[in-house]
């Protein structure tokens, strides 16, 4: 009895550094998690349905491989601009309003994109593709920028863990999008996939309006230029660029390559893309938990992930200088390797940029998180612009194999630059006198 009475008061007043279990999530955190999961899933399934069949349909409408890359790339350019502008003014606009409005715009554009098969082929079709995709990109930028910022605001101590867990739903959207889109296209035609998934995204609007909590914050005077004044942040942004460039390249070229080399249907191409999405879905929560628990390992995982990505792209074709014959099983395995390395590389980058921003003296609040989210989205979009266009050009004038090898080279360069920067920073840190005031900083 005495032992029990001693334990109970101790449990009630346990200090923060004790081994007591972490507190349960608050109602606001739970609702936010549900909301962000729905946004990630619905947005990504609508985004990813184009891969298996749109390039083929666009070719029938008179678009070249380069023009298809430009259509994918225009989405990225508008997403880039939207991410920067909306990330800067997220406090003035309101994070909840931005997210709900973005979902509504994206749902309408998804439905409209499904009607483009009825327009005349040639310039009319291509022009409308550019217009609808560009408006959709701005809506998507608003939804995802506010989603990242709200997640980091409401889960400040577990950013990578929560983002990694939410990437399960992103991965599910990426996993289900290609096979569902390819199967509906093959069974019912071009319009049905966009109509169904556009309506799904539309249903998320009232759901998130009810579920998502409102957050008030004050605007900040900080800018993107100050955020990019740190070399480490610039290098991390380059890593993000290489990842999205690789994904954009695969979106625009993989389906045509697989159909040509292996005589596959659109439905089977969608299944092959599972090899990319499923490992990413599985790796993200694991990497998020581990890098939150051991923040010092973030850069190490980014470097290793970039190297693995480089190997995956070089063997995806495979690269002509390797003299390896085309094999379907090798293509699927390399897609899985790239998907896993994507989770290893991408998840630690967002919390690492937040940490660097706070170390620079940025105010801790929604305004800074909005800028970091906007920067992340802008750099990701820049890669999504580069990947389809440059990858499409190289594929058209050389081959898919050489284009994939170039993407692998970009990832390898990112690993090299980040490694050199980390090595150069160590001697500088070790040369600082270890006074009583400096010791805590060195331990960090």
């Amino acid at each position: 009895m005495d032992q029990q009475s001693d334990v109970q008061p101790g449990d009630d007043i346990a200090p923060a550094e004790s081994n007591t279990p972490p507190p349960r999530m608050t109602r606001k955190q739970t609702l936010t998690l549900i909301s962000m999961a729905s946004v990630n899933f619905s947005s990504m399934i609508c985004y990813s349905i184009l891969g298996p069949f749109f390039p083929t349909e666009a070719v029938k409408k008179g678009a070249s491989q380069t023009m298809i890359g430009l259509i994918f790339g225009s989405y990225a350019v508008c997403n880039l601009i939207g991410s920067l502008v909306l990330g800067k003014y997220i406090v003035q606009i309101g994070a909840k309003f931005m997210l709900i409005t973005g979902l509504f715009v994206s749902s309408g554009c998804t439905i409209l994109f499904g009607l483009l098969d009825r327009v005349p082929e040639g310039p009319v079709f291509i022009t409308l593709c550019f217009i609808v995709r560009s408006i959709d990109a701005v809506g998507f930028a608003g939804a995802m920028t506010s989603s990242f910022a709200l997640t980091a605001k409401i889960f400040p101590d577990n950013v990578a863990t929560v983002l990694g867990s939410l990437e399960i739903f992103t991965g599910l959207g990426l996993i289900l999008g290609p096979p569902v889109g390819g199967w509906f296209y093959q069974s019912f035609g071009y319009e049905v996939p966009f109509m169904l998934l556009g309506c799904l995204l539309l249903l998320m609007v009232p759901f998130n309006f009810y579920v998502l909590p409102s957050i008030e914050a004050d605007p900040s005077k900080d800018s993107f230029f100050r955020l990019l004044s740190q070399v480490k942040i610039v290098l991390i942004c380059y890593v993000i660029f290489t990842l999205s460039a690789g994904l954009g390249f695969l979106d625009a070229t993989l389906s045509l390559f697989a159909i040509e080399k292996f005589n596959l249907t659109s439905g089977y191409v969608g299944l092959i893309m599972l090899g990319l999405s499923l490992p990413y879905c599985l790796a993200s929560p694991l990497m998020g938990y581990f890098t939150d628990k051991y923040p010092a390992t973030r850069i190490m995982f980014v470097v290793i992930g970039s190297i693995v990505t480089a190997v995956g792209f070089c063997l995806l074709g495979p690269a002509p200088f390797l003299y390896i014959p085309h094999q379907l099983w090798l293509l699927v395995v390399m897609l899985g390797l790239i998907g896993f390395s994507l989770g290893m590389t991408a998840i630690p980058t967002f919390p690492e940029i937040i940490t660097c921003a706070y170390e620079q003296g940025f105010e801790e609040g929604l305004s800074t998180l909005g800028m970091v989210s906007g920067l992340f989205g802008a750099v990701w979009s820049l890669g999504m612009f580069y990947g389809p266009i440059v990858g499409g050009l190289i594929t058209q004038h050389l081959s898919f194999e050489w284009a994939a090898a170039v993407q692998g080279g970009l990832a390898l360069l990112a690993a090299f630059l980040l490694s050199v920067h980390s090595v150069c920073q160590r001697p500088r840190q070790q040369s600082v006198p270890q006074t009583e005031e400096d010791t805590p900083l060195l331990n960090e």
Side-chain angles (χ1 to χ4, degrees):
M1 296 291 293
D2 293 339
Q3 291 178 350
Q4 292 178 353
S5 62
D6 292 337
V7 172
Q8 291 173 354
D11 290 340
D12 293 337
I13 60 173
E17 61 270 12
S18 68
N19 292 326
T20 55
R24 298 177 61 183
M25 289 194 300
T26 63
R27 183 176 182 273
K28 178 187 288 188
Q29 289 176 328
T30 303
L31 293 177
T32 302
L33 205 58
I34 295 172
S35 175
M36 296 303 104
S38 69
V39 170
N40 285 21
F41 174 77
S42 56
S43 298
M44 294 313 298
I45 194 172
C46 290
Y47 169 80
S48 62
I49 60 172
L50 270 70
F53 63 89
F54 177 73
T56 304
E57 191 72 22
V59 169
K60 295 178 183 177
K61 287 285 190 177
S64 64
Q65 178 70 68
T66 302
M67 191 58 64
I68 294 171
L70 286 171
I71 292 172
F72 277 94
S74 67
Y75 183 94
V77 170
C78 294
N79 201 315
L80 184 156
I81 298 171
S83 295
L84 290 176
V85 174
L86 297 175
K88 174 64 177 176
Y89 296 103
I90 187 172
V91 174
Q92 291 88 337
I93 297 172
K96 180 176 180 178
F97 177 80
M98 184 187 295
L99 187 145
I100 293 172
T101 304
L103 286 178
F104 180 78
V105 171
S106 292
S107 64
C109 289
T110 301
I111 294 172
L112 287 175
F113 206 81
L115 300 175
L116 293 183
D117 66 324
R118 302 187 181 187
V119 304
E121 65 181 28
V124 176
F125 172 80
I126 293 172
T127 301
L128 289 176
C129 282
F130 276 113
I131 294 174
V132 176
R133 286 288 283 175
S134 298
I135 298 174
D136 188 14
V138 176
F140 185 82
M144 297 312 294
T145 298
S146 55
S147 173
F148 275 104
L150 287 170
T151 301
K153 173 67 177 177
I154 297 177
F155 298 91
D157 300 323
N158 307 97
V159 177
T161 301
V162 175
L163 287 179
S165 301
L166 290 174
E167 288 305 297
I168 294 177
F169 298 92
T170 300
L172 286 175
L174 291 172
I175 287 170
L176 294 177
V180 168
W183 184 81
F184 274 111
Y185 170 76
Q186 195 171 338
S187 302
F188 303 103
Y190 178 82
E191 296 181 4
V192 173
F194 294 101
M195 296 297 172
L196 289 178
L197 297 180
C199 290
L200 172 66
L201 195 61
L202 189 61
L203 291 175
M204 294 297 104
V205 174
F207 174 76
N208 282 279
F209 181 81
Y210 174 76
V211 168
L212 191 66
S214 299
I215 296 178
E216 300 294 334
D218 296 324
S220 172
K221 297 181 180 180
D222 290 314
S223 66
F224 287 105
F225 296 103
R226 186 182 169 210
L227 196 61
L228 290 171
S229 64
Q230 191 168 340
V231 176
K232 187 176 182 180
I233 292 181
V234 174
L235 292 178
I236 293 174
C237 287
Y238 176 66
V239 172
I240 298 169
F241 167 80
T242 63
L243 296 175
S244 59
L247 287 179
F249 160 71
L250 292 176
D251 280 341
T253 60
L254 180 62
S255 62
L256 293 176
F257 172 75
I259 291 171
E260 178 185 347
K261 289 293 181 182
F262 305 107
N263 297 318
L264 301 176
T265 64
S266 298
Y268 280 109
V269 172
L271 290 176
I272 285 177
M273 289 184 174
L274 289 177
L276 179 69
S277 305
L278 188 58
Y280 173 73
C281 182
L282 297 175
S284 296
L286 176 64
M287 295 301 165
Y289 173 78
F290 194 87
T291 54
D292 261 344
K293 191 171 184 180
Y294 305 102
T297 63
R298 288 173 186 163
I299 297 300
M300 179 190 71
F301 275 113
V302 171
V303 171
I304 295 174
S306 296
I307 294 173
V308 175
T309 301
V311 173
F313 271 107
C314 286
L315 292 175
L316 186 66
F321 55 80
L322 297 176
Y323 299 103
I324 299 175
H326 298 95
Q327 300 180 67
L328 182 58
W329 69 265
L330 182 62
L331 177 71
V332 175
V333 170
M334 288 305 105
L335 283 174
L337 192 67
I338 293 170
F340 187 86
S341 65
L342 178 63
M344 182 185 299
T345 309
I347 296 302
T349 55
F350 186 73
E352 188 66 17
I353 294 177
I354 294 175
T355 300
C356 293
Y358 289 158
E359 288 175 351
Q360 278 190 287
F362 279 70
E363 298 177 5
E364 297 189 16
L366 183 62
S367 182
T368 297
L369 295 175
M371 277 193 290
V372 173
S373 301
L375 178 64
F376 185 95
V379 175
W380 186 272
S381 299
L382 184 63
M384 293 298 287
F385 174 77
Y386 169 92
I389 293 177
V390 177
L393 285 171
I394 297 175
T395 299
Q396 184 172 340
H397 295 288
L398 292 176
S399 65
F400 174 87
E401 294 86 346
W402 277 114
V406 170
Q407 296 297 330
L410 293 177
L412 190 62
L413 178 61
F416 173 76
L417 292 176
L418 202 54
S419 299
V420 170
H421 178 266
S422 299
V423 171
C424 291
Q425 288 296 103
R426 288 175 187 170
R428 184 181 302 177
Q429 292 176 354
Q430 292 174 358
S431 64
V432 179
Q434 295 188 17
T435 63
E436 291 183 359
E437 295 180 356
D438 295 330
T439 301
L441 294 175
L442 290 173
N443 290 337
E444 292 179 1

